[in-house]
Amino acid sequence: GEDVEQSLFLSVREGDSSVINCTYTDSSSTYLYWYKQEPGAGLQLLTYIFSNMDMKQDQRLTVLLNKKDKHLSLRIADTQTGDSAIYFCAETGFQKLVFGTGTRLLVSP
Amino acid sequence: GAVVSQHPSWVICKSGTSVKIECRSLDFQATTMFWYRQFPKQSLMLMATSNEGSKATYEQGVEKDKFLINHASLTLSTLTVTSAHPEDSSFYICSVLQGDTEAFFGQGTRLTVV
């Protein structure tokens, strides 16, 4: 079945870059997503990448996809305290999303 | 993108009572909606896929008689937690998929059963 894994915790200083990693097992995934969840709130879609792409950049966010290794990463440049949240990667199976365990990003001043 | 509204955002109920959570797609006709549950410090787990006009499809391990899903229109799906118990306390989130590219989520409902 599908399985998506992430490291649980990442701590960075304000202004540094953050890299959140994700591995998945379903090679038939069409799209891969990154979501941000702030405390008590629903998920906010940050960005997504189509499986035939290697990289996608959107302002401070860069997504890298290594399809051979089934590895996805999210880089946040110039990380701010407002970026502190839980970040979930997700991949599509057949119309449903399978989520990773979430990475808690803590940004310190 | 689609706007998804979930109500209520927060509810406390007594053990043994039932609670209904609504999920509305405000600007998009959703034939399919998804219900997720998130326990503290854990990931989202898909509970069921709600299909307009037909029965919901439940994931393995989710009791369909306990979590009743009704998707009576293209803009509304409801999840009723029947005979709630403290172990049902969780964060429930609905979502809609727009095409194959984007999923939009409600703001979530935090259920506390006392």
Side-chain angles (χ1 to χ4, degrees):
Chain A
E2 311 104 336
D3 193 19
V4 182
E5 294 188 358
Q6 299 176 237
S7 52
L8 291 179
F9 187 74
L10 176 65
S11 179
V12 300
R13 288 192 179 274
E14 193 173 22
D16 289 347
S17 292
S18 306
V19 179
I20 302 171
N21 295 302
C22 172
T23 58
Y24 60 98
T25 58
D26 188 352
S27 58
S28 66
S29 298
T30 309
Y31 292 95
L32 296 118
Y33 303 82
W34 283 103
Y35 289 90
K36 177 183 181 182
Q37 186 182 33
E38 300 189 25
L43 280 83
Q44 174 193 358
L45 176 65
L46 289 178
T47 186
Y48 64 90
I49 188 168
F50 189 49
S51 59
N52 69 352
M53 298 169 63
D54 298 323
M55 187 184 85
K56 182 178 180 181
Q57 188 155 1
D58 184 2
Q59 298 182 331
R60 292 191 297 124
L61 305 178
T62 302
V63 179
L64 294 178
L65 175 61
N66 182 327
K67 199 174 180 184
K68 175 176 172 288
D69 295 337
K70 299 189 185 69
H71 183 264
L72 181 74
S73 68
L74 173 71
R75 179 176 181 270
I76 306 173
D78 188 25
T79 314
Q80 303 296 307
T81 53
D83 295 324
S84 293
I86 300 176
Y87 291 81
F88 291 95
C89 64
E91 51 108 6
T92 51
F94 181 66
Q95 243 204 345
K96 66 181 184 183
L97 289 167
V98 179
F99 288 87
T101 48
T103 299
R104 184 177 294 276
L105 174 65
L106 178 63
V107 183
S108 54
Chain B
V3 177
V4 181
S5 175
Q6 209 173 315
H7 177 80
S9 56
W10 180 73
V11 60
I12 298 176
C13 71
K14 288 186 177 181
S15 188
T17 61
S18 296
V19 174
K20 181 185 284 188
I21 303 170
E22 292 186 347
C23 179
R24 292 183 185 275
S25 177
L26 298 183
D27 59 352
F28 173 68
Q29 292 190 320
T31 55
T32 305
M33 292 185 181
F34 303 90
W35 286 96
Y36 296 85
R37 179 170 55 186
Q38 184 183 28
F39 290 108
K41 298 182 181 179
Q42 294 187 26
S43 183
L44 287 156
M45 298 297 295
L46 179 65
M47 297 175 66
T49 302
S50 167
N51 304 298
E52 187 267 336
S54 65
K55 290 182 180 180
T57 305
Y58 290 82
E59 295 299 303
Q60 195 171 9
V62 178
E63 299 174 59
K64 61 182 179 182
D65 294 330
K66 181 169 184 60
F67 298 100
L68 299 178
I69 291 173
N70 185 296
H71 194 155
S73 76
L74 289 171
T75 58
L76 175 64
S77 175
T78 60
L79 168 69
T80 301
V81 183
T82 63
S83 187
H85 288 93
E87 56 265 30
D88 299 322
S89 298
S90 187
F91 194 52
Y92 293 86
I93 303 177
C94 68
S95 82
V96 302
L97 267 182
Q98 194 165 36
D100 286 328
T101 58
E102 293 184 75
F104 296 92
F105 290 82
Q107 68 269 43
T109 298
R110 182 164 299 284
L111 170 63
T112 302
V113 185
V114 297

